[in-house]
């Protein structure tokens, strides 16, 4: 047998408890076929000489926004601004190079860092009358200017806020440019849909970047509809990216719940809601597949629009809703969860506040009661605030929590200020979930926050905010557990358990080569570990250091890496 790839001279962490370490790994047809002595003497078309470096399964981001991230790479970046005046200056400089009727589209707006939101009047002046659309980093709000509001009808007498959204107003009662939650559709209707080629190009740019961070798989958290989608044919855009060689990693796509519609299948099928042809969770293959249906229940902590049981510790721009709000009628949203479950979907319910978590858990319990489905594991995306009394229900219902621990560094100070000390201890949990035996995946919500896995793994362990303040420190976990979350945990949470997430025979040959071993590195330095190579399905898709080569015509194989002296493992 001739292998497609053999990895030699490596310190391989397989993440398989039965065989945790190896030095050599063989790949055939995109799959791991053996370790060490099973493959060491076999010929191979290509050799990856790791030079003693650490090899791990490829990282799997179970909740991110890849097309959105790719689009931001071509838009005005206001994430580094530290005042609204800096935003105005950036808009002015960017607009100077545009046609008089061109849009000024920006991303990365964070009102916490700015000390407030930009105002539409100042944006009018900065952009020279051009329409402006600045997206908040949370994804749950944006700021626009007068031309956009006028075209949306938001300046008309008698205009009313849409269900599940708010058009913010200034002290004079005028719309000030801030659009929250579903109100963002007022601007999206003027811009969307994007061409499929635009989305495919964005996916290509994003997934090429993912390779530089060791990401080999991801779940796109909402396509096709609502305020999260970019075009009704977003799945076709992903297919285009794949067909043209621009989908550089594996992708699972969540369908936004807005795209589901009534179906007239046979009554015995129980399929009343879904996509045409009955496509649902699981359709596709290892490279591109359809995942859960995404249902938004509430908003965000940063915008204080998450549905919580007790008021936020400050809500300066929206005192009328101190406990946030749902994205729609609670009963109707629960009915949608149940209908999707009955039609064979896995459901990913966006629920950040504890009141929204209650709604999700109640809906899942009702769904299982009305139509039991063995093996299905519904998800709660973010699970931002989970009270102690809610924890047991996650385990009872087999619900997968999908928190983002990279938020702790980037947004931890602002979230703690909004929640207060008691709820901060319940926020973005990790240890509590793992102790219940739940598969907790690694996920970033990129581009809401920086998405590189290694810094996120560091946050899982250290749980420190940007200013160095501990954030719910009792929820920290050991390094090895954090690595498992970003590999095997994500595979289990996305329905690929046993297919990827470990470097063992029979699993997909997705791996990353690191210039340091996270388990042997000081926890506060894990995020600085570098990526030497990323392999997807046995293909060295990112190999800037030239570790992969054709084999020499003769000579013995490289010996196993010597065990160098190292600090005690932080496992």
């Amino acid at each position: 047998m001739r292998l497609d790839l053999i990895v030699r001279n490596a310190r391989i962490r397989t993440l398989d408890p039965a065989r945790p370490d190896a030095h050599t790994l063989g790949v055939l047809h995109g799959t791991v076929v053996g370790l060490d002595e099973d493959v060491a003497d076999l010929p191979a078309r290509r050799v990856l000489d790791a030079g003693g470096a650490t090899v791990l399964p490829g990282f799997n981001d179970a909740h991110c926004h890849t097309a959105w991230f790719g689009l931001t790479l071509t838009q005005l970046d206001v994430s580094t601004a530290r005042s609204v005046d800096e935003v105005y200056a950036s808009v002015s400089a960017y607009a100077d190079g545009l046609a008089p009727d061109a849009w000024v589209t920006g991303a990365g707006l964070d009102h916490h860092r700015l000390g407030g939101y930009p105002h539409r009047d100042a944006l009018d002046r900065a952009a020279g009358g051009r329409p402006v659309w600045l997206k908040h980093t949370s994804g749950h709000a944006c700021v626009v200017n007068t031309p956009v509001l006028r075209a949306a009808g938001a300046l008309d007498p008698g205009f009313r806020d849409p269900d599940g959204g708010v058009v913010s107003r200034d002290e004079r009662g005028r719309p000030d440019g801030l659009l929250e939650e579903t109100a963002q559709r007022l601007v999206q209707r003027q811009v969307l849909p994007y061409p499929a080629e635009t989305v495919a190009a964005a996916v290509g740019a994003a997934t090429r970047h993912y390779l530089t961070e060791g990401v080999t798989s991801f779940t796109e958290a909402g396509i096709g509809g609502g305020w999260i989608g970019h075009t009704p044919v977003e799945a076709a855009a992903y297919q285009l990216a794949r067909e043209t060689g621009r989908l550089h990693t594996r992708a699972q796509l969540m369908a936004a719940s807005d795209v589901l519609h009534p179906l007239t299948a046979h009554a015995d099928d129980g399929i009343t809601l879904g996509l045409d042809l009955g496509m649902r969770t699981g359709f596709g293959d290892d490279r591109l597949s359809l995942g859960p249906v995404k249902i938004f229940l509430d908003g965000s902590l940063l915008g204080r629009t998450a549905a919580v049981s007790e008021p936020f510790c400050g809500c300066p721009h929206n005192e009328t809703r101190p406990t946030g709000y749902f994205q729609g009628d609670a009963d109707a949203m629960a009915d949608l969860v149940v209908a999707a479950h009955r039609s064979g979907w896995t459901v990913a319910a966006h629920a950040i506040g504890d009141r929204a978590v209650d709604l999700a858990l109640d809906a899942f319990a009702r769904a299982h009661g009305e139509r039991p489905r063995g093996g299905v594991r519904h998800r709660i995306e973010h699970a931002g605030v989970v009270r102690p009394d809610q924890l047991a229900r996650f385990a009872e219902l087999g619900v997968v929590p999908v928190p983002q621990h990279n938020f702790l560094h980037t947004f931890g100070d602002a979230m703690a200020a909004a929640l207060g000390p008691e709820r901060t201890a319940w926020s973005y949990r990790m240890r509590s979930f793992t102790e219940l035996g739940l598969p907790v995946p690694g996920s970033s919500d990129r581009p809401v926050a920086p998405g590189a896995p290694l810094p996120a793994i560091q946050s899982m362990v250290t749980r420190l905010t940007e200013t160095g303040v501990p954030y719910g420190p009792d929820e920290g976990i050991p390094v090895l557990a954090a690595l498992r979350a970003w590999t095997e945990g994500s595979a289990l949470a996305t329905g690929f358990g046993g297919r990827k997430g470990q470097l063992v025979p029979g699993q997909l040959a997705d791996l990353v080569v690191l210039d340091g071993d996270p388990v042997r590195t000081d926890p506060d330095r894990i995020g600085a570990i570098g990526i030497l190579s990323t392999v997807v399905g046995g293909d060295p898709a990112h190999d800037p250091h030239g570790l992969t080569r054709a084999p020499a015509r003769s000579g013995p194989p490289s010996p196993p890496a010597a065990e160098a002296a190292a600090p005690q493992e932080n496992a």
Side-chain angles (χ1 to χ4, degrees):
M1 178 172 63
R2 188 185 189 201
L3 301 173
D4 293 326
L5 176 74
I6 191 163
V7 179
R8 298 192 185 279
N9 196 22
R11 182 179 288 115
I12 301 171
R13 288 194 176 275
T14 68
L15 300 189
D16 175 14
R19 187 174 184 174
D21 303 300
H23 298 292
T24 307
L25 177 148
V27 178
L28 184 65
H29 303 317
T31 301
V32 177
V33 293
L35 300 168
D36 288 345
E37 66 277 0
D38 295 334
V39 295
D41 296 327
L42 294 177
R45 292 192 304 108
R46 291 185 291 186
V47 175
L48 192 160
D49 190 333
T54 297
V55 174
L56 295 172
F59 299 127
N60 186 343
D61 191 334
H63 179 119
C64 60
H65 302 280
T66 298
W68 174 14
F69 171 61
L71 290 167
T72 67
L73 299 177
T74 63
Q75 296 169 348
L76 172 63
D77 181 9
V78 296
S79 64
T80 60
R82 291 298 178 266
S83 70
V84 291
D85 287 337
E86 287 187 30
V87 173
Y88 300 144
S90 296
V91 168
S92 178
Y94 188 82
D96 283 345
L98 300 177
D101 59 347
W103 280 70
V104 176
T105 303
L109 188 73
D110 185 349
H111 69 289
H112 294 287
R113 297 181 185 275
L114 301 177
Y117 284 100
H119 194 281
R120 88 184 218 215
D121 294 338
L123 289 174
D124 291 345
R125 294 189 293 270
R130 297 172 181 84
V132 177
W133 180 22
L134 302 180
K135 305 170 191 176
H136 194 273
T137 188
S138 69
H140 288 261
C142 65
V143 174
V144 298
N145 66 342
T146 301
V148 180
L149 292 170
R150 183 179 296 114
L155 304 182
D156 296 344
F159 174 83
R160 298 179 59 186
D161 289 352
D163 291 340
V166 170
V167 175
S168 177
R169 288 166 171 78
D170 60 22
E171 63 279 359
R172 291 183 288 171
R174 300 167 60 242
D176 56 22
L178 173 62
L179 306 179
E180 292 181 353
E181 304 298 343
T182 60
Q184 294 180 92
R185 294 175 182 170
L186 296 174
V187 56
Q188 289 173 320
R189 289 171 186 152
Q190 301 176 48
V191 178
L192 303 181
Y194 288 129
E197 171 57 31
T198 298
V199 177
V203 168
T207 55
R208 185 163 292 283
H209 180 87
Y210 287 1
L211 295 175
T212 69
E213 297 173 344
V215 175
T216 56
S217 295
F218 68 91
T219 295
E220 170 73 87
I223 67 166
W227 59 261
I228 202 67
H230 299 96
T231 169
V233 296
E234 205 155 357
Y238 263 92
Q239 285 186 283
L240 176 62
R242 179 180 183 175
E243 291 162 358
T244 54
R246 289 178 288 179
L247 181 59
H248 303 293
T249 64
R250 304 184 192 279
Q252 182 187 66
L253 312 178
M254 289 188 193
S257 61
D258 307 64
V259 305
L260 302 188
H261 52 265
L263 298 175
T264 54
H266 192 280
D268 291 348
D269 296 330
I271 302 174
T272 60
L273 186 75
L275 301 179
D276 290 337
L277 304 179
M279 291 186 296
R280 57 175 175 81
T281 305
F283 184 83
D285 58 21
D286 291 332
R287 195 77 185 199
L288 180 60
S289 63
L290 191 59
V293 60
K294 171 80 170 291
I295 299 176
F296 281 95
L297 302 185
D298 70 343
S300 76
L301 285 184
L302 287 181
R304 294 178 170 85
T305 57
V308 291
S309 298
E310 301 294 332
F312 287 108
C313 297
C315 201
H317 71 278
N318 190 16
E319 292 86 349
T320 59
R321 300 188 182 186
T323 58
Y325 50 89
F326 289 129
Q327 295 263 312
D329 177 77
D331 291 338
M333 291 189 296
D335 289 344
L336 180 59
V337 169
V338 173
H341 167 92
R342 292 179 64 88
S343 297
W345 288 87
T346 298
V347 175
H350 169 113
I352 291 183
D354 61 313
R355 188 156 53 99
V357 170
D358 275 332
L359 177 60
L361 292 172
D362 288 345
F364 291 150
R366 178 183 151 200
H368 285 298
E370 292 185 10
R371 182 162 186 162
R373 285 176 54 200
V376 64
R377 302 201 72 152
H378 297 309
R379 304 168 34 150
I380 292 185
E381 308 304 300
H382 310 296
V385 180
V386 176
R387 301 187 311 269
D389 63 285
Q390 293 174 318
L391 287 170
R393 296 198 71 198
F394 275 84
E396 175 190 348
L397 296 169
V399 173
V400 176
V402 188
Q404 290 71 43
H405 298 95
N406 53 322
F407 284 11
L408 305 186
H409 177 267
T410 308
F411 306 130
D413 293 313
M415 293 192 303
L419 293 174
E422 182 179 43
R423 286 185 295 185
T424 296
W426 305 342
S427 174
Y428 290 94
R429 294 178 180 268
M430 186 66 188
R431 183 183 294 274
S432 293
F433 290 136
T434 57
E435 288 179 348
L436 288 169
L438 295 170
V440 185
S443 67
S444 71
D445 206 20
R446 188 196 320 240
V448 172
L454 286 166
I457 287 166
Q458 177 176 315
S459 283
M460 282 183 168
V461 178
T462 63
R463 295 185 70 90
L464 297 176
T465 71
E466 189 174 38
T467 59
V469 176
Y471 189 103
D474 290 345
E475 290 292 336
I477 57 172
V479 178
L480 193 57
L483 293 175
R484 291 187 186 282
W486 271 90
T487 52
E488 183 182 17
S490 292
L492 291 168
T494 56
F496 285 92
R499 188 74 180 114
K500 59 185 176 183
Q502 296 179 335
L503 294 177
V504 297
Q507 293 208 18
L508 296 170
D510 299 345
L511 57 91
V512 58
V513 185
L514 308 178
D515 68 7
D517 184 348
V519 180
R520 297 172 180 264
T521 299
D522 290 339
D524 60 357
R525 297 291 300 160
I526 292 172
I529 293 173
I531 307 297
L532 299 178
S533 183
T534 303
V535 175
V536 182
D539 175 34
H542 174 70
D543 190 20
H545 301 280
L547 303 185
T548 306
R549 56 174 173 77
R553 292 184 177 274
S554 61
S558 302
E563 288 295 331
Q568 183 176 357
E569 294 189 358
N570 300 307

